[in-house]
Amino acid sequence: DQQVKQNSPSLSVQEGRISILNCDYTNSMFDYFLWYKKYPAEGPTFLISISSIKDKNEDGRFTVFLNKSAKHLSLHIVPSQPGDSAVYFCAASVRGDMRFGAGTRLTVKP
Amino acid sequence: NAGVTQTPKFQVLKTGQSMTLQCAQDMNHNSMYWYRQDPGMGLRLIYYSASEGTTDKGEVPNGYNVSRLNKREFSLRLESAAPSQTSVYFCASSELGPPLALHFGNGTRLTVT
């Protein structure tokens, strides 16, 4: 059973606008949540993380929000750039066991 | 720095054949992982090794075995390949402790016919 779900397979936004990628999880024991970015023919690369004791973490254009009561997290990219076009994976971990969502393909149009 | 290196990049096997996927990291990380990526399924954890000398099953371990040869190397073995094991396999490593940001290799694309 998938403990981490990304319900939107794809998202298209205009350059300069905000991209919002969403993720839901079912296991309340997860203690860290992460976002990874993946380009074709490469492995995923770590983008940003958040501890379960926080509700927001910001790093430059990227902000992750965590709503524990709703078991929901989101990644905001502002402003979006064409180079942000990639597949974004949400992940959640507990004691070394990291589970991933199915990914959302983001396309940023110039 | 090479980071995480996986070999081979591509492999085609016939059903029933065996093979070992190799992974090595040069970042002195303690933990290493094997994932498989299938369309619509994301990345699923096969096995992980939290530290040298230990291995644990992940979400989808059936049909696979692993060996943590030393701190640098973590191999994944398919004893009798099946078409359901057609996938892209990623090895990753991380330092101990949260947030467990994984460093991935570029993957091995395996096809079992």
Side-chain angles (χ1 to χ4, degrees):
Chain A
D1 84 85
Q2 275 198 298
Q3 298 184 33
V4 179
K5 294 182 182 179
Q6 293 175 257
N7 292 319
S8 298
S10 63
L11 174 68
S12 181
V13 300
Q14 208 64 36
E15 181 179 5
R17 305 295 292 268
I18 184 172
S19 295
I20 299 176
L21 296 99
N22 293 302
C23 178
D24 298 295
Y25 62 95
T26 57
N27 187 349
S28 57
M29 299 299 292
F30 287 136
D31 53 8
Y32 267 89
F33 302 88
L34 305 91
W35 285 94
Y36 289 81
K37 176 179 176 179
K38 184 183 182 304
Y39 293 118
E42 295 182 8
T45 55
F46 169 71
L47 197 54
I48 191 169
S49 66
I50 187 167
S51 163
S52 61
I53 63 172
K54 297 190 174 181
D55 55 20
K56 177 182 173 182
N57 188 27
E58 194 171 348
D59 183 1
R61 295 187 297 115
F62 302 91
T63 303
V64 56
F65 295 92
L66 176 63
N67 182 335
K68 283 185 68 177
S69 60
K71 294 192 176 69
H72 177 85
L73 68 156
S74 61
L75 175 69
H76 292 210
I77 306 173
V78 182
S80 301
Q81 299 172 354
D84 295 330
S85 296
V87 176
Y88 289 78
F89 289 99
C90 166
S93 74
V94 55
R95 293 187 303 277
D97 186 336
M98 187 171 295
R99 303 295 175 103
F100 285 77
T104 297
R105 182 178 301 279
L106 173 66
T107 303
V108 180
K109 297 179 179 178
Chain B
N1 281 342
V4 178
T5 303
Q6 291 183 237
T7 54
K9 287 185 168 45
F10 301 94
Q11 184 72 48
V12 178
L13 291 178
K14 293 187 189 312
T15 298
Q17 287 185 318
S18 62
M19 80 161 295
T20 299
L21 281 65
Q22 307 286 354
C23 175
Q25 53 93 7
D26 63 2
M27 294 172 284
N28 202 35
H29 285 166
N30 285 291
S31 303
M32 297 187 74
Y33 309 79
W34 276 105
Y35 284 87
R36 59 178 287 175
Q37 183 191 10
D38 302 293
M41 302 292 289
L43 291 141
R44 291 183 293 168
L45 181 63
I46 305 171
Y47 271 93
Y48 67 101
S49 172
S51 60
E52 190 178 353
T54 69
T55 60
D56 287 284
K57 294 179 181 179
E59 198 178 350
V60 288
N62 291 344
Y64 305 95
N65 286 302
V66 290
S67 295
R68 183 73 184 267
L69 304 169
N70 48 54
K71 191 172 184 179
R72 287 188 66 245
E73 298 171 289
F74 189 38
S75 63
L76 178 72
R77 182 158 178 85
L78 287 71
E79 289 291 351
S80 178
S84 60
Q85 293 179 305
T86 294
S87 187
V88 180
Y89 291 84
F90 288 99
C91 177
S93 69
S94 73
E95 295 175 347
L96 278 177
L100 288 177
L102 302 183
H103 298 258
F104 284 87
N106 284 336
T108 295
R109 184 173 293 275
L110 175 67
T111 303
V112 183
T113 60

